Amino acid sequence: MLPWQPALLSAGSQPSGQMLSARGSLLKAGARHAAVSACRQQGIRQASWELELVALEGLQKAGNTVSVARCTAVLTACGRGHAPDTAVVALLADMRERGPEPDTFACNCAIKACSSAGFWDRPVQLLEEMLRLGPEPDVATFGGTISACARASRWEQALGLLNCMSEARPEPNVIVYGAAISACEKGLQWQHALDLLQQMQQRKLEASVVACSAAISACEKGCQWVPALAVLEEMQEQHLKADLIALSAAISACGQGGQWQRAMALLADMQREQLNPNLIAFNAAADALGRSGNWQVSLQLLENMRRAQVSPRTATLSSAIRACGRAGCWQQALELFSQLGSGVGLELDLIACGAALSACEEAGRWDIALELLKDMGLSTVRPDEMTFAGVMSACSKVGQWQAALGLVSQAEQSGQLVDKVMCNSAISSCEKGMSWEWALLLLVSASARSLKPDSVTFCAAVSACEKGFQWQKSLVIFERFRSSSFRPDPIAYNALITALDRCDEWSLALSWLGNARVHGVADAATLHAALNALASAGLWEHAVQLLDISTVSVRCWPDVESYGAALLACYRSASTSAWRPCLKLLASMHSRRLLPGPSEYACAARACGLGGRWLEAAELYEAARRSLGSTESSRMLLSDERQDSFESAFAMSMLGAFTWASEAGGAPSGVVPRAKTLQGVGAQL
């Protein structure tokens, strides 16, 4: 028997977890006080409030006058002991029925007692009862009720109560506003939290550190780093010293917004202010670095934590592992991962495993990802669906479709639900591994598992058929896609048209391009895919006509690649009259401020050679030199890939094309050698 139990039993009561009724004689005052004292000394708060209720009812049955102060003390005991709300409501109702009439302070204690027990609806009901029956609520009444709503993340009710205060006439104070802002923070309502701060300024109430910290936390949860820093700056203007909670929330907000430099600056500010960053602040900074992929600063942060005698935890290392993985430093990521399980607070968990697997996925190390998954099976960490999906994604990037299929079977054997993400990764693996048969089997298997395939699923299956030159099956899959509840997007149309291009089905490619345009989902890539199909067939008339039509739709506005495909179609047609549309296409590109590259000029020059127009080819060479090599600013208009090999592309493509065009066009014998001597000029560009 515990030390407090004899005293409680001698007082004539036993704890029951419910509100007790005193049956029998009135408890002796000495025995009651001894029992309550023993309960409190042993921390048995529940027994204490039950005993207080028993003693109160005993006094009432004995005909003794019970004061409001005595009932209020019992209500306070109920709050401290986390009594059921039914006990609090029953006592308050008994006071209204038999007396004494509760005053505002007693009702406030009842609201606080229900709030401490984790309820929000009871405090609201008690407040409504006060507004209807009395006594008149005060600021503490509304503040306690709003705090109860804040604990339960009921931000709508909290704001409603704040508006109700204007009708009940008590002016809200800083504490009430702080509670309302906390409710908005827990309810992910950062806009409302900032609005409440502005209301405080309008009422000329000085914001507290608690209110500002809650507003910054609300901005952090809403991924709004700009207003979070604005609140922090406003605190400085009002000479409010930000605490660890506010600064940690601001650091986290900057991290979620990709502002790792600002996050590290805030951490440095904390150290300058001698706030001694705790684990929460360091973890927030580590998370910011993990999102940015700045692995070197992440490792330095771990060292700073050890110098500050703050031991990193699993979450800290997980962020550093994520940073290393995003930077492609998978060796450093695995080195950090190996530290887990080596000390207190470094337990292996799913988040850390997921970060390590992501590092392997980014580096294409599917073999190491499989080993990590195997090691997880030997540990206490049970891999979930996302874990299997991550390993499958690593296999998918390098086309290891056999390993991906084995993971699907392994996940089913371990009792995991094979979801859509895992299925998509497996189909993508088959697509990259040139195994269209297995991709189609997985697509059928997804339907058998009652999974609803999405655009990613169908696009991967269509692409797998495209790589296997199975355009008929691509059409079947696409038609099935259209008949389902999903609407095909540009990516789906592009995959289908590319499949038709590879199989020389240019007429079907044009038909599906028209279908995409009708449904408003055609984009520049869709147009480019259709033009490639025409280029493969050498149908330059259709290509030029398609470019003219595409200017009607902004989404299909032709780009450099589209014009390049049309020029290629002109050259591949082997038509002696294709040089004219080539020159028009180049002129159209310049009018649209699209800079032709060496390959575009080369196609036009070769078309001129086929048509016997060697002089036009020579003019194109000079135009290419002026356009591509005269100024550095013109090079800046090119994409990064085109800039890297500009000189070699010009020398190999343009000069070679002009030489070929001169010979094919029947240029005089002295012209072709002169063209060949221009290679030295091209090499200097």
Side-chain angles (χ1 to χ4, degrees):
M1 183 175 293
L2 296 175
W4 60 272
Q5 288 179 323
L8 184 60
L9 293 176
S10 66
S13 176
Q14 294 181 357
S16 64
Q18 301 290 336
M19 183 175 68
L20 303 181
S21 299
R23 297 179 181 177
S25 60
L26 178 64
L27 296 175
K28 294 182 179 180
R32 176 171 61 81
H33 288 304
V36 172
S37 177
C39 291
R40 290 175 178 171
Q41 288 177 3
Q42 296 297 324
I44 312 301
R45 294 181 297 176
Q46 184 185 36
S48 176
W49 70 259
E50 288 181 335
L51 188 58
E52 293 279 7
L53 284 173
V54 170
L56 180 64
E57 189 166 348
L59 290 172
Q60 291 173 336
K61 287 189 175 182
N64 293 295
T65 301
V66 179
S67 64
V68 176
R70 183 70 184 87
C71 295
T72 303
V74 178
L75 289 170
T76 302
C78 290
R80 291 173 179 169
H82 301 290
D85 62 324
T86 52
V88 178
V89 172
L91 176 56
L92 203 61
D94 186 68
M95 292 177 65
R96 291 187 181 277
E97 181 180 352
R98 295 193 295 178
E101 189 68 25
D103 57 10
T104 301
F105 182 68
C107 292
N108 290 348
C109 291
I111 290 174
K112 185 177 180 181
C114 293
S115 175
S116 62
F119 302 101
W120 69 272
D121 50 347
R122 287 292 192 189
V124 172
Q125 293 174 3
L126 293 176
L127 176 58
E128 292 175 348
E129 186 176 291
M130 291 178 67
L131 293 172
R132 188 176 65 256
L133 304 176
E136 184 176 351
D138 58 7
V139 176
T141 311
F142 281 96
T145 310
I146 292 175
S147 296
C149 295
R151 292 190 186 96
S153 301
R154 309 294 298 194
W155 64 273
E156 302 97 330
Q157 285 76 10
L159 294 183
L161 290 171
L162 191 61
N163 294 331
C164 181
M165 291 188 70
S166 59
E167 300 177 3
R169 294 182 181 176
E171 289 289 333
N173 58 13
V174 175
I175 298 176
V176 173
Y177 270 107
I181 293 174
S182 296
C184 295
E185 176 243 326
K186 292 184 173 65
L188 308 180
Q189 299 295 318
W190 63 273
Q191 300 96 331
H192 289 297
L194 296 179
D195 290 341
L196 292 177
L197 275 183
Q198 187 175 5
Q199 288 183 24
M200 294 181 67
Q201 292 179 349
Q202 294 173 353
R203 291 179 176 268
K204 297 183 179 180
L205 293 174
E206 293 184 1
S208 64
V209 175
V210 174
C212 292
S213 299
I216 294 174
S217 297
C219 294
E220 175 253 325
K221 292 179 179 177
C223 302
Q224 300 292 325
W225 65 273
V226 175
L229 294 185
V231 174
L232 200 61
E233 184 177 353
E234 190 173 337
M235 290 180 67
Q236 295 176 351
E237 293 177 355
Q238 297 179 3
H239 303 288
L240 289 175
K241 188 175 182 179
D243 56 7
L244 283 173
I245 298 175
L247 290 172
S248 299
I251 291 172
S252 181
C254 292
Q256 293 179 14
Q259 302 293 317
W260 68 269
Q261 298 95 334
R262 298 178 187 271
M264 295 303 296
L266 289 174
L267 187 65
D269 290 342
M270 295 175 67
Q271 294 172 328
R272 279 195 298 268
E273 294 293 332
Q274 297 182 347
L275 286 177
N276 296 328
N278 57 9
L279 182 62
I280 297 175
F282 277 116
N283 281 349
D287 182 67
L289 296 170
R291 294 174 183 270
S292 66
N294 199 318
W295 66 279
Q296 293 173 319
V297 183
S298 295
L299 298 182
Q300 184 61 47
L301 180 66
L302 292 176
E303 183 62 28
N304 293 342
M305 291 181 65
R306 295 186 178 97
R307 290 177 182 174
Q309 297 182 347
V310 178
S311 300
R313 296 292 189 266
T314 301
T316 323
L317 287 182
S318 298
S319 297
I321 293 171
R322 189 183 305 114
C324 294
R326 291 191 173 180
C329 303
W330 60 274
Q331 298 95 333
Q332 287 82 357
L334 294 182
E335 183 179 349
L336 291 173
F337 184 74
S338 64
Q339 298 179 19
L340 295 175
S342 61
V344 179
L346 295 177
E347 298 82 6
L348 190 67
D349 62 7
L350 268 177
I351 297 177
C353 291
L357 289 172
S358 295
C360 296
E361 176 190 349
E362 290 289 337
R365 296 308 304 260
W366 62 276
D367 50 343
I368 300 180
L370 287 176
E371 288 295 326
L372 288 177
L373 183 63
K374 182 179 178 181
D375 293 340
M376 288 180 64
L378 301 176
S379 66
T380 58
V381 180
R382 179 182 175 87
D384 59 0
E385 290 85 356
M386 293 303 297
T387 308
F388 280 102
V391 182
M392 285 185 185
S393 180
C395 296
S396 171
K397 285 190 173 182
V398 292
Q400 292 292 330
W401 61 273
Q402 299 96 332
L405 294 178
L407 287 171
V408 173
S409 177
Q410 182 180 345
E412 290 178 332
Q413 292 176 2
S414 63
Q416 297 293 338
L417 177 66
V418 178
D419 58 4
K420 186 164 53 181
V421 176
M422 296 173 62
C423 188
N424 289 350
S425 296
I427 294 176
S428 296
S429 300
C430 295
E431 176 246 328
K432 291 181 175 63
M434 312 287 284
S435 181
W436 62 271
E437 300 94 335
W438 279 103
L440 295 185
L441 286 175
L442 285 170
L443 186 62
V444 174
S445 176
S447 300
R449 291 187 177 94
S450 300
L451 298 177
K452 291 184 178 180
D454 56 10
S455 178
V456 177
T457 314
F458 281 102
C459 287
V462 168
S463 296
C465 294
E466 170 228 321
K467 289 181 173 62
F469 297 95
Q470 301 292 322
W471 65 270
Q472 298 93 336
K473 291 181 172 57
S474 296
L475 281 177
V476 172
I477 295 172
F478 195 84
E479 288 290 357
R480 181 180 175 185
F481 183 33
R482 290 208 307 165
S483 63
S484 65
S485 58
F486 297 102
R487 180 183 177 185
D489 56 11
I491 299 176
Y493 276 102
N494 298 346
L496 176 63
I497 294 175
T498 302
L500 296 172
D501 168 33
R502 287 174 63 88
C503 299
D504 297 329
E505 294 292 333
W506 63 269
S507 58
L508 286 174
L510 287 181
S511 175
W512 283 106
L513 173 63
N515 187 282
R517 288 172 54 84
V518 169
H519 290 87
V521 293
D523 58 8
T526 319
L527 173 64
H528 188 207
L531 286 170
N532 276 339
L534 295 174
S536 300
L539 299 171
W540 65 269
E541 298 94 339
H542 292 77
V544 173
Q545 183 181 8
L546 184 57
L547 277 179
D548 292 337
I549 297 175
S550 66
T551 57
V552 178
S553 173
V554 176
R555 287 178 61 88
C556 279
W557 194 266
D559 54 11
V560 174
E561 284 74 16
S562 299
Y563 274 99
L567 288 165
L568 184 61
C570 294
Y571 164 62
R572 286 183 176 176
S573 67
S575 172
T576 57
S577 60
W579 63 276
R580 293 183 183 276
C582 281
L583 297 182
K584 290 182 179 179
L585 288 172
L586 288 177
S588 177
M589 291 183 70
H590 284 291
S591 66
R592 299 183 187 280
R593 296 187 178 182
L594 296 174
L595 182 63
S599 59
E600 286 76 36
Y601 278 111
C603 284
R606 290 175 183 272
C608 290
L610 289 172
R613 315 297 295 190
W614 66 270
L615 286 176
E616 284 77 1
E619 291 176 358
L620 284 177
Y621 175 80
E622 295 298 333
R625 284 188 58 205
R626 290 193 302 268
S627 177
L628 298 177
S630 59
T631 61
E632 185 67 23
S633 59
S634 63
R635 298 188 188 187
M636 297 299 293
L637 298 176
L638 296 170
S639 61
D640 293 339
E641 294 79 11
R642 293 158 71 92
Q643 289 182 45
D644 293 340
S645 58
F646 173 79
E647 292 82 359
S648 60
F650 187 92
M652 295 178 64
S653 299
M654 194 59 221
L655 292 175
F658 174 67
T659 303
W660 183 92
S662 298
E663 293 174 345
S669 58
V671 174
V672 176
R674 176 177 174 273
K676 292 181 178 179
T677 60
L678 293 175
Q679 293 181 5
V681 178
Q684 296 175 4
L685 294 177

